[in-house]
Amino acid sequence: QNPATGKAARTLLDCGLSGRFTFDGFVVGSNCSYSCAAARAVADKPGKTYNPLFLHGHAGLGKTHLMQAIGQEVLRQKPRKSVRYVTSESFTNEYIDALRCGRISAFRQRYRDVDVLLVDDVDFLGGKQSTQEEFFHTFNDLHNHHKQIVLASDRPPSEIANLEQRLVSRF
């Protein structure tokens, strides 16, 4: 328990983060120097710079690493901030489970009461209409409250099959 806030101390695992993905451990190549600089700017001023930040590129280029590094750096600089990293597959599965068990309010609170939301593999949302609807409202709620959103995909938003146009335009 943190004596200053009275809240239970959050671990990286509680936020969905892995301790091995930091900015110090990221190898900056010529093809990703801009992405790394944008990720660092987001970590320094979440909700104010590049919001949302959308990272896309082929598998293995470091998108997940940069997302996780953002989350870790935000927590290092601002320990009271709430960070959540999730894959869109996990988001979808949690949403379906919340609907089935009547816990949609708790689900929404889990994803809308954060300062930084990091969603990996957003291309998984393609064709999942109900999940896209929920994600649309979560995105809008966070963005309207100047909370940071970071998304990653193997392809740009316009190339994600069956992704609603209103999400494409926001991404």
Side-chain angles (χ1 to χ4, degrees):
Q1 183 119 345
N2 182 332
T5 64
K7 294 182 180 178
R10 288 186 307 268
T11 66
L12 293 177
L13 191 57
D14 293 335
C15 300
L17 298 171
S18 167
R20 62 179 216 232
F21 296 122
T22 64
F23 283 122
D24 289 340
F26 188 76
V27 177
V28 181
S30 60
N31 63 337
C32 64
S33 59
Y34 182 77
S35 298
C36 188
R40 285 184 178 273
V42 164
D44 289 340
K45 293 183 179 176
K48 299 190 180 355
T49 308
Y50 302 111
N51 195 22
L53 175 63
F54 192 97
L55 302 168
H56 70 88
H58 297 292
L61 294 180
K63 299 177 302 290
T64 298
H65 191 132
L66 284 176
M67 293 179 77
Q68 295 248 347
I70 290 168
Q72 287 196 56
E73 186 63 19
V74 167
L75 290 174
R76 189 187 70 73
Q77 290 182 24
K78 301 166 180 71
R80 292 185 179 177
K81 292 283 186 187
S82 174
V83 174
R84 171 137 340 267
Y85 168 87
V86 66
T87 64
S88 60
E89 181 180 10
S90 292
F91 181 91
T92 299
N93 291 338
E94 287 180 43
Y95 175 62
I96 291 167
D97 188 52
L99 285 174
R100 186 178 17 220
C101 299
R103 295 189 321 253
I104 196 68
S105 181
F107 172 86
R108 288 179 177 149
Q109 182 177 3
R110 175 176 168 86
Y111 286 99
R112 296 181 190 185
D113 288 350
V114 297
D115 297 302
V116 179
L117 179 61
L118 309 156
V119 184
D120 211 345
D121 302 319
V122 294
D123 43 298
F124 184 82
L125 295 177
K128 294 167 182 64
Q129 298 309 104
S130 180
T131 305
Q132 286 185 46
E133 177 77 19
E134 183 62 31
F135 189 76
F136 172 79
H137 293 294
T138 297
F139 182 101
N140 282 344
D141 186 72
L142 292 171
H143 197 264
N144 290 339
H145 289 96
H146 308 286
K147 305 299 182 178
Q148 182 66 50
I149 304 162
V150 181
L151 309 165
S153 172
D154 289 346
R155 49 192 158 269
S158 61
E159 294 179 16
I160 298 173
N162 301 311
L163 185 65
E164 291 182 15
Q165 187 58 41
R166 62 184 181 169
L167 286 174
V168 171
S169 69
R170 280 163 178 75
F171 293 176

